[in-house]
Amino acid sequence: MSHASTSVQDRPVPTPPAPVSSLSSRTLPRLAPLGFAVVSIALGVGIGAAAGWHSRVQWGLLSALLFLTISYVATSVVENKRQAKDRLATSLVWVCFLIAVVPLASLLWTTISRGSERLDGYFLTHSMAGVLGPEASGGVYHALIGTLEQVGIATLISAPLGLLTAVYLVEYGKGALAKAVTFFVDVMTGIPSIVAGLFILSIMLIAGLEPSGLMGALALTILMIPVVVRSTEEMLKLVPNELREASLALGIPKWRTILKVVLPTAIGGIATGVMLAIARIAGETAPIILLVFGSQLINPNPFEGAQSSLPFYIYEQYKIGEAASYDRAWAAALVLIAFVMILNLVARGIARWKAPKTGR
Amino acid sequence: MASTTQTEIPPAPPGRRTRAKSTGRVGDKIFLGLSRGSGILLLVIMASIAAFLTYRAAIAISDDEGNFLTTFDWNPAGDPPVFGIAVLLFGTVVSSIIAMVIAVPIAVGIALFISHYAPRKLAGAIAYVIDLLAAVPSIVYGIWGALVLVPYLEGLNLWLDQFFGWTYIFEKTEIGVARSLFTVGILLAIMILPIVTSVSREVFLQVPRMNEEAALALGATRWEVIRLSVLPFGRSGVISASMLGLGRALGETMAVATVLSPNFLISLHVLNPGGGTFAQNIAAKFGEADAFGRDALIASGLVLFVLTLLVNGAARLIIARRKEYSGANA
């Protein structure tokens, strides 16, 4: 204690010159980080090419490391240790961001460039009936039908259920039941898709049911409900209480208030949530493997017989392991990503367009 | 219902209002019943998932001639049937840990980038791009990982073996393509990045502005502001975010099933091809499984279910506790 207090008392004497010097001290120009980045990328690529490393991953990692070192050293030489640490943190955060963008860019680029080779009208309108793995023919039509039907059924079941649950949690929910539902909705979001598949499978084993599109849709329902509940709940909470109170004050019963005032106000956000949930389950493969079995043929009946689905089709074609089947897998991946991304974009567009006007 | 209308009429003569009130009540009851019913249905689904899986798993485990927890084999069709989850548990945990070690620091970095470093206008767009990562279906990650990432990682594996081989973990003793637990970990890291980022970002944005401004007023650099006020405030949020990510990584099926070349050995050499995870094993073995084999797979799925339940439950409890104490939500 005494040591600390003396140091505090001592400090005023030596410090006065310091601020003066720091105000006039040298600082790096604003564009210096950009320069560091260019230099380190050039060095990384140069060294990588000179040493003959095949993988660009190594080049990138070396450049990132060089960038961090150069900016730290340069700043600590020109400015001071504290600024250098600050610069290091800034550089690190930028590097983190770039590291995350690289895989996304690579994934999208590969899917688009490899997928567009095979994607055409023929691919979208033909099934795999009678097509052998190595043949460069066949299409995705049966899988498209399967995905649309399975996702459609799952949405028809889980949208109303999720909506009602969210209404219960926001408008009525009090006490232990609501708390339990909230907690388990959260936990349910984390159920692995394969476990949802196994659950329906165990029911099938007990009840002696055959695999069909419906079974897959039921597993997808389990995955979809918590997502719908969560997003709808958030949206309902955004509806200003004044609207509810105004409606109730006019003598309108609570259920009509919810149906005619609360839900219409939040409808944009609810639609967004449902569409994002659809986008999420459309890409699920694991339950389909267990419950729908996959088929090469067009089966428009989701209640009987094996079906296919887009993600399952990708997996199936990948496993064949021929050049032609890889092409088909990439093309189907492009179709699936396009479907999911368009849903995402439209959903977010709706969210922006129909955002509930909060009291501001 | 008829009785309520009758009892209501005498005290309130203006007929119109009573009618509205009584239909309102019936509607309210129906509506409350429906919405509460669907809430209860959710709980029933959760309970029946546990019940059905346990029931089928019990059938399988009681006929298992090996020890379900310690056997290094998966042969439920054999005579006698022998299968155990030791390798699967090991592979699941190791690949998820690798994913966490890679993803959490990067995710925190991106979250800080969005909340404190990026230009305001850019931040929204970046958050959106990161969310897009979450929208990509796992099977697409899977084929990208198997056909693009695996060849690219060979050089990195050589490096790790060369410079960090002495750690034993990064020693590559088998020659082969990089279809290893390490590659799976990297792929899982990319896949859980969005959820860890978005939850951490939410927490970092909630840091009381007063704390940050106080630090700035004392002359702190941006990094010092973050170290002194943002990170301490966000710590529990980051922990729960990483646990949510862990839950995702544990249950991921397709990305692992496409990338890994599985075997039934436990090896800490994470660069060697081999190993297995619960979800991958279920997807890979399902096609050839008979009725008993399916029950055996359900048994392993039950373990996965319990594992993810514990991790997610713990994450949610941490978030809930934080909400109660944090002033930001009061």
Side-chain angles (χ1 to χ4, degrees):
Chain A
M1 268 321 265
S2 64
H3 179 76
S5 65
T6 53
S7 72
V8 167
Q9 281 172 351
D10 287 345
R11 194 165 285 169
V13 187
T15 32
V20 178
S21 70
S22 84
L23 274 177
S24 61
S25 73
R26 292 171 300 167
T27 51
L28 284 166
R30 283 198 57 190
L31 285 180
L34 201 66
F36 298 153
V38 171
V39 169
S40 47
I41 289 172
L43 271 176
V45 171
I47 295 176
W53 293 332
H54 297 300
S55 123
R56 305 286 153 70
V57 176
Q58 283 164 301
W59 300 17
L61 284 179
L62 187 73
S63 307
L65 216 61
L66 281 172
F67 175 57
L68 295 180
T69 327
I70 292 177
S71 46
Y72 182 74
V73 171
T75 318
S76 57
V77 168
V78 177
E79 296 178 18
N80 56 37
K81 268 272 152 60
R82 281 180 60 213
Q83 295 300 333
K85 265 189 190 163
D86 184 47
R87 182 85 70 189
L88 181 68
T90 311
S91 319
L92 206 59
V93 161
W94 270 92
V95 167
C96 282
F97 167 65
L98 290 178
I99 286 181
V101 169
V102 168
L104 179 67
S106 158
L107 187 141
L108 288 180
W109 168 245
T110 321
T111 312
I112 290 171
S113 64
R114 295 281 315 262
S116 54
E117 285 171 18
R118 193 63 186 75
L119 185 63
D120 48 25
Y122 183 88
F123 187 73
L124 289 175
T125 50
H126 287 74
S127 76
M128 287 296 290
V131 180
L132 296 174
E135 284 176 37
S137 164
V140 80
Y141 183 63
H142 59 307
L144 261 178
I145 288 186
T147 289
L148 289 178
E149 285 180 353
Q150 288 151 24
V151 169
I153 295 174
T155 310
L156 282 183
I157 302 174
S158 47
L161 266 178
L163 203 71
L164 280 170
T165 310
V167 165
Y168 172 69
L169 288 177
V170 175
E171 306 290 332
Y172 295 100
K174 278 188 212 96
L177 179 64
K179 267 193 178 161
V181 173
T182 310
F183 180 76
F184 278 105
V185 165
D186 279 337
V187 172
M188 230 172 142
T189 353
I191 290 184
S193 56
I194 192 125
V195 171
L198 286 175
F199 165 57
I200 303 294
L201 177 72
S202 61
I203 292 179
M204 270 166 65
L205 287 175
I206 291 169
L209 298 169
E210 290 296 310
S212 69
L214 178 67
M215 295 298 137
L218 288 178
L220 295 181
T221 304
I222 293 175
L223 299 170
M224 189 172 172
I225 290 178
V227 186
V228 175
V229 175
R230 203 29 17 112
S231 56
T232 310
E233 213 186 329
E234 295 299 320
M235 285 305 132
L236 292 182
K237 279 180 186 162
L238 283 182
V239 176
N241 251 336
E242 287 85 346
L243 286 184
R244 295 190 182 90
E245 283 157 9
S247 164
L248 290 173
L250 289 173
I252 296 172
K254 190 164 184 179
W255 68 278
R256 282 184 71 92
T257 305
I258 294 172
L259 278 184
K260 298 278 177 183
V261 177
V262 178
L263 287 181
T265 314
I267 193 70
I270 294 171
T272 305
V274 172
M275 288 173 82
L276 290 179
I278 293 175
R280 191 194 149 189
I281 61 164
E284 287 294 352
T285 321
I288 311 298
I289 295 180
L290 304 185
L291 304 171
V292 192
F293 259 41
S295 156
Q296 307 292 323
L297 310 174
I298 300 169
N299 174 14
N301 183 0
F303 301 103
E304 203 182 341
Q307 273 191 318
S308 189
S309 85
L310 273 176
F312 180 85
Y313 179 87
I314 300 172
Y315 182 55
E316 188 185 54
Q317 295 301 323
Y318 165 77
K319 276 208 306 189
I320 293 174
E322 302 276 349
S325 73
Y326 283 157
D327 284 347
R328 278 193 292 269
W330 282 116
L334 182 57
V335 175
L336 182 59
I337 282 201
F339 179 68
V340 169
M341 291 293 165
I342 289 171
L343 267 178
N344 257 284
L345 289 176
V346 172
R348 280 164 210 272
I350 291 179
R352 192 165 289 179
W353 172 47
K354 280 244 167 187
K357 314 269 183 297
T358 41
R360 276 175 289 148
Chain B
M1 252 152 263
S3 70
T4 51
T5 17
Q6 278 171 0
T7 49
E8 294 245 331
I9 286 168
R16 207 196 266 166
R17 205 161 39 146
T18 10
R19 224 187 301 143
K21 209 177 172 189
S22 68
T23 49
R25 261 195 201 157
V26 175
D28 265 346
K29 266 182 194 155
I30 294 172
F31 203 71
L32 174 61
L34 275 177
S35 60
R36 185 188 279 159
S38 56
I40 293 171
L41 185 66
L42 276 194
L43 296 184
V44 171
I45 291 177
M46 279 302 284
S48 52
I49 290 178
F52 277 92
L53 290 184
T54 314
Y55 171 66
R56 297 307 298 195
I59 297 177
I61 295 176
S62 60
D63 284 347
D64 185 4
E65 292 295 316
N67 186 323
F68 182 65
L69 292 177
T70 57
T71 307
F72 282 30
D73 196 7
W74 194 269
N75 190 11
D79 187 32
V82 173
F83 55 92
I85 56 164
V87 175
L88 305 179
L89 186 61
F90 175 82
T92 307
V93 171
V94 166
S95 59
S96 305
I97 288 177
I98 296 172
M100 298 279 290
V101 168
I102 300 171
V104 170
I106 295 182
V108 170
I110 300 171
L112 285 175
F113 183 76
I114 295 170
S115 65
H116 286 82
Y117 281 93
R120 193 52 58 86
K121 276 187 184 160
L122 210 63
I126 292 164
Y128 180 68
V129 168
I130 300 296
D131 284 344
L132 278 192
L133 267 172
V136 176
S138 63
I139 179 67
V140 181
Y141 275 114
I143 61 169
W144 177 77
L147 299 177
V148 179
L149 188 66
V150 165
Y152 267 118
L153 281 181
E154 251 147 63
L156 184 68
N157 282 357
L158 277 178
W159 252 13
L160 284 172
D161 182 30
Q162 204 176 335
F163 296 120
F164 298 99
W166 50 270
T167 54
Y168 186 83
I169 294 177
F170 291 123
E171 196 182 351
K172 193 168 160 70
T173 54
E174 279 174 45
I175 301 165
V177 280
R179 294 180 174 272
S180 57
L181 284 179
F182 184 68
T183 308
V184 168
I186 292 180
L187 192 58
L188 290 178
I190 298 172
M191 298 180 67
I192 65 174
L193 211 55
I195 178 150
V196 185
T197 304
S198 65
V199 177
S200 309
R201 189 187 71 207
E202 292 295 311
V203 179
F204 291 155
L205 286 175
Q206 281 175 12
V207 175
R209 275 215 78 74
M210 291 293 218
N211 292 9
E212 289 177 41
E213 281 164 7
L216 279 173
L218 289 172
T221 60
R222 191 151 45 166
W223 164 241
E224 283 160 348
V225 169
I226 287 170
R227 195 168 55 87
L228 293 172
S229 67
V230 178
L231 290 183
F233 181 88
R235 188 181 298 138
S236 66
V238 172
I239 291 174
S240 57
S242 359
M243 291 180 79
L244 288 182
L246 180 63
R248 287 277 164 89
L250 289 172
E252 180 46 48
T253 313
M254 298 324 295
V256 189
T258 46
V259 168
L260 200 67
S261 69
N263 65 14
F264 263 82
L265 294 171
I266 285 187
S267 162
L268 261 181
H269 295 301
V270 290
L271 295 184
N272 284 348
T277 73
F278 285 115
Q280 169 269 330
N281 187 55
I282 295 168
K285 294 280 162 68
F286 183 77
E288 63 198 47
D290 55 5
F292 180 72
R294 288 180 186 176
D295 282 342
L297 292 175
I298 289 175
S300 75
L302 178 66
V303 180
L304 176 63
F305 176 63
V306 173
L307 207 61
T308 49
L309 211 61
L310 290 177
V311 170
N312 281 307
R316 294 297 174 183
L317 283 181
I318 294 175
I319 294 181
R321 182 133 41 99
R322 205 183 139 278
K323 261 187 196 152
E324 275 167 32
Y325 291 124
S326 105
N329 290 310

